[in-house]
Amino acid sequence: MTDDQRPTRRKRPTFTDQEALQFHAQGRPGKLEVVPTKPMATQRDLSLAYSPGVAVPVLAIAENPSCAFDYTTRSNMVAVISNGTAILGLGNLGALASKPVMEGKSVLFKRFADVDSIDLEVDTEDADAFINCVRYLGPSFGGINLEDIKAPECFIIEERLRELMDIPVFHDDQHGTAIIAAAGLINALHLTGRDMAETKLVVNGAGAAGIACTELLKAMGFAPNNVILCDTKGVIYKGRTEGMNQWKSAHAAETDARTLADALNGADAVFGLSAKGAFTDDMIRSMAENPIIFAMANPDPEITPEEVARIRDDVIIATGRSDYPNQVNNVLGFPYIFRGALDVQATTINMEMKIAAAQALAELAREDVPDEVAAAYQGARPRFGRDYIIPVPFDPRLIHTIPMAVAKAAMDTGVARRPIVDMRAYKAQLSARRDPVAGTLNRIFERVRKFPKRVVFAEGEEEQVIRAALSFMNQGLGKAILVGREDRIMETAAQAGIDLEGRDGIEIHNARLSSRNATYAQFLYERLQRKGYLFRDCQRMINQDRNHFAASMVALGDADAMVTGATRNYSTALADVRHVIDAKPGHRVIGISLCLARGRTVLVADTAIHEMPTAQELAEIAIESAGVARRLGYEPRVALLSFSTFGHPRAERAEKIQEAVRILDQMRVDFEYDGEMAADVALNRDAMAQYPFSRLTDTANVLVMPAFHSASISTKMLQELGGAMVLGPLVVGLDKPVQIVSLGATDNDIVNMAALAAYNIGG
């Protein structure tokens, strides 16, 4: 095993006990709160929410129970339920002590899959009492996630509740671990050239997770006698009587092996769901060539990757730890599995849905890794291989990959009450749940796919730009043109594990060697000769500066659009582009940012170009911004902002805003606008109601700032303190489509901007 193949430990976050307690206690104690989804500001609101308005949906549900999914939270609500008999690795500490864990589980549902969740702690260890408590809660929820319940009671409870309830009941300690481990095993088998039907597997640990792993893998194609289950007393074989129960007996194998060491001799793979130190050096040595070891005991695995590396160098190893590669982490499964099940109103989560989730996870690990994932590895981008067989929890693609697979399996097996007709639209909806920008960008991407463009990626030698170009092409958005030296681009791609060979949708253009550079130089000289530039200056800019070369390609029709900025400051990149491309006749070049926060989309201008705009410039900025809003599908309501509102307090600077409104009046524009007004008046209905004469019919969705500095400061504060998603600044008003990303942008940022350029969001 080479150095770059060896398992590497990533630094684990550290904290003191006091810090952990403070985290849970600060502000509002705990990790959850209830936030109404409907307005509750007026008496009418309250009358609709409760009496008498609530009687209408009550009667509708009484007549047709399925209406509960339409009129209540049931369609997106999961209960996380425990009795605290097997809390994490801490054991039986009781129902109340389990509450912080169950709250945390509920938070994960929301964070990763936008599933609303509430924790319920049931204070009994009696399985029948627990079942009778939970079974009657069915009308409240769309699904039940059982958690931290000890074996064998967990088997009894889940099986009985599945029979009694018409919603998914899922014990995550069993099936979550099984699904993620199965996904990793699929890829490990692929890497070692093994056939599932012939692979010999040992599962050490016959508790909830061990039994579930065994059942799932057999359902996926493992031969029953090739899977040997072990517990603390050794191999579970046919005829054994000591320490047996019905769940162990179901997986008793015909084998002469009696100890774990016997079972591991010659085994291809082992799942550890037991305890620290369960696997010895001799056991690992006795396994077959290229063994697969999943040491999943927490917090300490049965054997560590460092210990395995000292014994042999041909191992693929996974653990449950985040500080090692190949973490078997349940958060990869349960949020997305429930998301898919809820979206088709499934009556259960069956074996086919679990297998679909495992296969989708395995396939995702084989795809190229986006920058959002690579960032967590401190620059060491993971690639499919021995140290990357399982996706990581922060992979943004999980939200649309796993639920789609689960939903489809539910429909195929007849357990979906509300099948999904348009899976492509469903994928877009899922992406929007995790990333609000994705929802806004979706229709732009769809439009670009229908009318694909040739987009120049000016900084073509940068790894993130190469990845963005490849993603742009793979998503069917058009052809990507990389500007740079071909040998350097191919070398960078090879080092990053990107295969550019034979890619029909990607072109590479070297400015110095291009047959078009003389034409571009002459074109640039004709533009700049009266601005102090000699021909050789223009020739040098074309040959040596990729922004000038790329912009010339767009200006002369050799490409449709351009994206740049990953390696230069925004203003520098814009100055380069403006040497080549003018403003569109009758338009003003501005920067506009797209802000998405708390389900609202607001455009803010000018965030990049005009430092202290005049009244005339403010009016023109408002017009350009309204045009962008319309191209995004919004009917513009423009607020010209100030620190004052309609003349109070009086100030000289506010007069400029008032003058801009008068200019718009004279221009007779076809969109709503008003000002000057403070930001809260523009964005808050109650505050706006204090000014009944305002021309805006609702809160503003376009904010025109009085100056560049206020626009830039406010959007950055909104992003950092308010948790808003901010896209841009977008360049608006140029005669050709060009977009500029922020310095150091990720590949995803670059793809988004390239799509916006291809869409010609700037007009």
Side-chain angles (χ1 to χ4, degrees), residues 6-12 299-301 304-306 319 321-325 377-378 387:
R6 292 189 182 281
T8 55
R9 295 190 67 176
R10 297 187 298 278
K11 185 178 180 181
R12 300 186 76 187
D300 297 304
T304 67
E306 293 95 339
T319 73
R321 292 262 294 260
S322 62
D323 53 337
Y324 291 117
Y377 285 78
Q378 300 175 342
D387 287 343

Side-chain angles (χ1 to χ4, degrees), residues 283-336:
M283 291 178 186
I284 302 304
R285 288 192 188 96
S286 74
M287 293 182 70
E289 185 178 351
N290 291 312
I292 300 164
I293 301 171
F294 280 31
M296 296 178 280
N298 263 325
D300 297 304
E302 286 82 357
I303 191 167
T304 67
E306 293 95 339
E307 291 168 336
V308 168
R310 287 195 294 269
I311 301 167
R312 54 193 300 176
D313 62 2
D314 61 343
V315 176
I316 294 178
I317 184 166
T319 73
R321 292 262 294 260
S322 62
D323 53 337
Y324 291 117
N326 299 329
Q327 184 193 15
V328 179
N329 189 331
N330 284 21
V331 81
L332 290 165
F334 69 85
Y336 310 110

Side-chain angles (χ1 to χ4, degrees), residues 338-356:
F338 270 99
R339 175 77 276 154
L342 290 170
D343 290 338
V344 295
Q345 295 176 13
T347 57
T348 188
I349 294 174
N350 58 29
M351 185 63 75
E352 291 83 357
M353 294 160 75
K354 298 173 200 171
I355 293 173

Side-chain angles (χ1 to χ4, degrees), residues 181-201 217 220-222 268-271 290-292 294 316 366 384 389:
L185 184 57
I186 290 170
N187 282 335
L189 295 176
H190 173 80
L191 288 168
T192 57
R194 288 184 167 97
D195 184 345
M196 188 177 290
E198 298 176 359
T199 299
K200 295 181 179 180
L201 170 71
L217 292 172
M220 291 174 65
F222 271 81
D268 298 299
V270 61
F271 274 16
N290 291 312
I292 300 164
F294 280 31
I316 294 178
R366 301 183 197 183
F384 177 62
I389 58 174

Side-chain angles (χ1 to χ4, degrees), residues 606-760:
D606 174 358
T607 53
I609 296 170
H610 293 84
E611 185 176 358
M612 289 294 292
T614 64
Q616 179 66 37
E617 289 171 336
L618 284 171
E620 293 173 4
I621 289 169
I623 294 170
E624 292 292 344
S625 303
V628 175
R630 283 204 168 118
R631 288 192 289 278
L632 285 170
Y634 300 100
E635 189 56 38
R637 295 185 298 275
V638 181
L640 288 87
L641 296 190
S642 176
F643 63 90
S644 61
T645 300
F646 299 123
H648 181 79
R650 289 188 173 277
E652 181 179 345
R653 290 191 177 183
E655 293 175 2
K656 181 175 65 172
I657 314 297
Q658 297 166 2
E659 177 61 22
V661 173
R662 288 192 289 270
I663 293 171
L664 288 171
D665 291 342
Q666 295 167 6
M667 298 174 76
R668 299 184 181 277
V669 296
D670 63 346
F671 56 85
E672 292 182 22
Y673 62 92
D674 209 347
E676 89 284 14
M677 65 177 70
D680 58 336
V681 175
L683 297 172
N684 185 289
R685 287 189 182 89
D686 291 338
M688 187 175 285
Q690 303 300 314
Y691 304 92
F693 53 84
S694 172
R695 302 172 183 176
L696 300 185
T697 58
D698 202 347
T699 56
N701 54 19
V702 179
L703 305 179
V704 175
M705 293 292 188
F708 173 7
H709 60 266
S710 58
S712 179
I713 291 169
S714 61
T715 51
K716 287 185 168 92
M717 287 184 65
L718 192 62
Q719 187 172 17
E720 294 301 324
L721 298 180
M725 302 290 292
V726 178
L727 185 65
L730 309 176
V731 181
V732 176
L734 283 174
D735 199 30
K736 298 289 183 179
V738 176
Q739 289 302 330
I740 301 172
V741 299
S742 299
L743 189 66
T746 67
D747 55 0
N748 191 54
D749 296 331
I750 298 168
V751 171
N752 288 341
M753 283 298 209
L756 289 165
Y759 182 80
N760 198 8

Side-chain angles (χ1 to χ4, degrees), residues 147-294:
E147 194 78 16
D148 289 358
I149 303 170
K150 67 181 177 69
E153 287 86 349
C154 63
F155 303 124
I156 300 169
I157 289 169
E158 185 192 45
E159 183 178 333
R160 188 78 179 109
L161 288 175
R162 282 168 57 91
E163 294 170 355
L164 293 169
M165 304 180 80
D166 66 345
I167 57 175
V169 178
F170 184 86
H171 184 210
D172 186 47
D173 297 316
Q174 294 181 57
H175 310 299
T177 301
I179 290 166
I180 314 310
L185 184 57
I186 290 170
N187 282 335
L189 295 176
H190 173 80
L191 288 168
T192 57
R194 288 184 167 97
D195 184 345
M196 188 177 290
E198 298 176 359
T199 299
K200 295 181 179 180
L201 170 71
V202 176
V203 178
N204 188 47
I211 296 288
C213 286
T214 303
E215 289 179 348
L216 180 60
L217 292 172
K218 287 182 179 179
M220 291 174 65
F222 271 81
N225 281 324
N226 281 348
V227 181
I228 296 179
L229 183 64
C230 299
D231 61 10
T232 55
K233 300 184 185 304
V235 171
I236 296 172
Y237 57 90
K238 286 193 174 180
R240 187 180 124 173
T241 57
E242 184 182 7
M244 296 294 285
N245 57 42
Q246 67 187 79
W247 298 279
K248 293 181 183 181
S249 296
H251 299 290
E254 291 184 358
T255 177
D256 294 330
R258 292 295 180 265
T259 67
L260 176 60
D262 293 340
L264 281 174
N265 187 21
D268 298 299
V270 61
F271 274 16
L273 298 145
S274 49
K276 176 183 179 181
F279 300 158
T280 68
D281 293 9
D282 288 340
M283 291 178 186
I284 302 304
R285 288 192 188 96
S286 74
M287 293 182 70
E289 185 178 351
N290 291 312
I292 300 164
I293 301 171
F294 280 31

